[in-house]
């Protein structure tokens, strides 16, 4: 019943997927919990839980020791690094692990800051999460000039004319979100990267919001850096940064002397979160299995991930259409971002709304009591809520879908909103 057929041999088996996630069985006040908070963090499949606890039971040690648990730790980290390399389409020495995207981005910005001079410029956008703004903005103290690309207010897409105007021969770095965590817009990242490179700039991509929704291919994009957070795509709370090998070797990170100058070690300081790294490998393997479940011919992990995202995108577009049709029936509701049903490939199923006469916090609270987990506020997309003039009145209510959500949950949250607003 929950299967949605697509044109090719990629079918998302939602019942199979949901059965992997034990937390989805929770209830709230007698209502089944509906996890519509994916953009803030997704649930994890059982195998991720098992990998984390299994590591702590059997392999818990620091790295580089001449004994069994330490050797197991070393090989587990190498395995998870390879899994992330398959996930992003690069080599494993281009993968850096860290506590979260924000911390990794600050570390990179400090290092890039060492190379900046007074006439250098950095280009950012108003659509982005603050973790893709403040670490770069901080480079003003190195003399860099910061420029911002505006949005098209009507559909919360990037104003590409303004982008072209702002990227000049002075631009050293252009940073852009792959997708907007507040309103779901998927940016024309490949085109933006080409514009940046044509002017001689490096391009950083914040793929945190895109990660659960689409296949990432850093080689195809040709980005210089790309960051994501595994807790947004069914893994543990950690961040991952891809950097082109040439940059990771050339840039000078601030590091302790005991770290070697080899990549990735020169960028990964102190003891990493080993148990979560074990979970990262398991979450990539979950997605690969989802792909094999959709397309049995996909055997190599990267092919299986491609199949997974093909099935996920097709399924999520069905949910998005249903959600937009449902939200349109709610009196006084304004949906921010792309609402045109013929443009669903340009957005993630992340819906930011306001309903007149109700604050986002009131709506999120009332939905929460009925078992719907949604978010209110700005989700750190502070430039956007300020640009849209809604920061002082509570931001948006955000309803975020991922592939473990169902059409039935969409119908139920729409019905609950109707009931709440009367
Ligand atoms: C688009 C986007 N970028 C960056 C971040 C920050 O990620 P992290 O929590 O891993 O630092 C988030 C977190 O919500 C996000 O949604």
């Amino acid at each position: 019943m929950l299967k949605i057929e697509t044109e090719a041999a990629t079918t998302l088996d939602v019942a199979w997927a949901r059965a992997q996630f034990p937390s989805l069985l929770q209830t709230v006040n007698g209502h089944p919990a509906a996890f519509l908070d994916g953009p803030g963090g997704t649930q994890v499949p059982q195998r991720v839980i098992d990998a984390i606890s299994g590591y702590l039971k059997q392999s818990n040690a620091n790295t580089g020791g001449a004994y069994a648990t330490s050797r197991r730790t070393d090989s587990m980290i190498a395995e998870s690094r390879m899994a992330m390399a398959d996930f992003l389409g690069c080599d494993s020495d281009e993968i850096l692990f860290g506590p979260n995207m924000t911390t990794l981005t600050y570390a990179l910005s400090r290092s890039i800051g060492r190379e900046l001079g007074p006439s250098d410029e950095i280009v950012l956008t108003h659509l982005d999460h603050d973790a893709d703004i403040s670490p770069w903005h901080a480079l003003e103290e190195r003399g860099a000039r910061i420029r911002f690309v505006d949005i098209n207010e009507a559909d919360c897409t990037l104003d590409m004319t303004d982008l072209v105007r702002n990227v000049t021969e002075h631009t050293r770095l252009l940073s852009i979100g792959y997708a907007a965590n507040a309103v779901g817009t998927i940016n024309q990242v490949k085109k933006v990267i080409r514009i940046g490179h044509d002017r001689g700039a490096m391009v950083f991509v914040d793929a945190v919001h895109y990660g659960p929704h689409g296949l990432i291919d850093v080689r195809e994009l040709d980005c210089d850096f790309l960051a994501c957070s595994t807790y947004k795509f069914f893994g543990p709370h950690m961040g991952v940064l891809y950097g082109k090998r040439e940059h990771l070797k050339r840039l000078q990170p601030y590091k302790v002397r005991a770290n070697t100058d080899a990549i990735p070690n020169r960028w990964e300081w102190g003891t990493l979160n080993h148990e979560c790294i074990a979970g990262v490998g398991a979450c990539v393997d979950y997605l690969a299995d989802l792909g094999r479940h959709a397309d049995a011919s996909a055997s190599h992990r990267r092919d299986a991930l491609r199949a997974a995202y093909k099935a996920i995108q097709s399924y999520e577009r069905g949910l998005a259409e249903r959600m937009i049709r449902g939200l349109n029936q709610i009196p006084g509701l304004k949906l921010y971002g792309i609402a045109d049903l013929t443009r669903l490939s340009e957005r993630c199923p992340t819906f930011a709304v306001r309903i007149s006469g109700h604050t986002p916090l009131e709506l999120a609270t009332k939905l929460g009591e009925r078992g719907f987990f949604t978010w209110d506020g700005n989700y750190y997309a502070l430039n956007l809520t300020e640009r849209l003039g809604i920061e002082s009145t509570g931001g948006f209510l955000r309803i975020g879908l991922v592939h473990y959500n169902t059409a039935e949950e969409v119908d139920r949250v729409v019905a609950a909103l109707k009931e709440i607003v009367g």
Side-chain angles (χ1 to χ4, degrees), residues 204-275:
F204 177 98
V205 178
D206 170 3
V208 172
H209 189 65
Y210 190 70
H213 303 295
L215 184 77
I216 298 169
D217 190 330
V218 292
R219 293 268 189 268
E220 230 236 352
L221 289 175
D222 194 31
C223 53
D224 297 280
F225 303 98
L226 180 141
C228 57
S229 307
T230 55
Y231 73 94
K232 309 280 192 184
F233 54 88
F234 322 108
H237 288 96
M238 265 191 48
V240 175
L241 178 66
Y242 154 82
K244 267 188 187 165
R245 187 177 292 112
E246 67 200 71
H247 297 317
L248 295 182
K249 284 187 167 169
R250 178 183 51 80
L251 288 166
Q252 289 301 319
Y254 290 91
K255 68 172 190 67
V256 294
R257 287 171 301 163
N259 272 76
T260 69
D261 236 354
I263 58 168
N265 187 253
R266 69 199 299 251
W267 291 93
E268 291 180 336
W269 321 303
T271 305
L272 295 173
N273 187 334
H274 300 162
E275 51 273 31

Side-chain angles (χ1 to χ4, degrees), residues 9 11 19 36 93 173 189 200 223 286 298 307 310 332 338 347 356 419:
T11 305
L36 308 175
D93 62 346
L173 183 97
V189 185
C223 53
Y286 159 71
K310 191 169 176 196
I338 294 167
R347 63 140 51 247
S356 55
E419 182 215 310

Side-chain angles (χ1 to χ4, degrees), residues 15-173:
W16 178 86
R18 285 181 68 84
Q20 312 297 307
F21 291 83
S23 60
L24 299 184
L25 296 174
Q26 292 179 57
T27 56
V28 178
N29 301 330
H31 304 284
F35 289 81
L36 308 175
D37 60 341
T42 47
Q43 299 306 299
V44 298
Q46 182 65 46
R47 71 177 80 192
V48 169
I49 301 168
D50 293 344
I52 292 171
S53 62
Y55 171 79
L56 290 170
K57 270 188 212 145
Q58 295 192 320
S59 308
N60 190 14
N62 217 322
T63 52
Y67 57 97
T69 48
S70 181
R71 288 197 177 115
R72 282 206 286 275
T73 295
D74 288 338
S75 60
M76 177 281 290
I77 293 174
E79 263 297 313
S80 289
R81 213 182 284 284
M82 276 191 277
M84 273 313 299
D86 281 348
F87 185 81
L88 296 178
C90 60
D91 293 327
S92 62
D93 62 346
E94 296 173 303
I95 294 288
L96 312 180
F97 288 126
N100 50 57
M101 176 273 186
T102 308
T103 309
L104 286 165
T105 306
Y106 263 110
L108 181 66
S109 85
R110 278 198 297 274
S111 160
I112 289 178
R114 290 176 127 175
E115 291 193 332
L116 294 181
S119 63
D120 289 334
E121 297 185 350
I122 292 177
V123 177
L124 310 174
T125 91
H126 283 313
L127 204 48
D128 277 309
H129 187 284
D130 209 54
D132 193 26
I133 293 179
S134 288
W136 308 119
H137 212 279
L139 296 179
E140 252 182 345
E141 71 189 19
R142 311 286 306 185
R145 175 163 177 222
I146 313 294
R147 289 171 174 259
F148 276 98
V149 178
D150 203 5
I151 57 161
N152 300 305
E153 207 174 319
D155 61 1
C156 294
T157 53
L158 271 191
D159 179 341
M160 291 298 280
T161 311
D162 196 41
L163 186 135
V164 170
R165 198 172 25 242
N166 275 294
V167 183
T168 71
E169 71 279 10
H170 296 294
T171 310
R172 291 297 299 279
L173 183 97

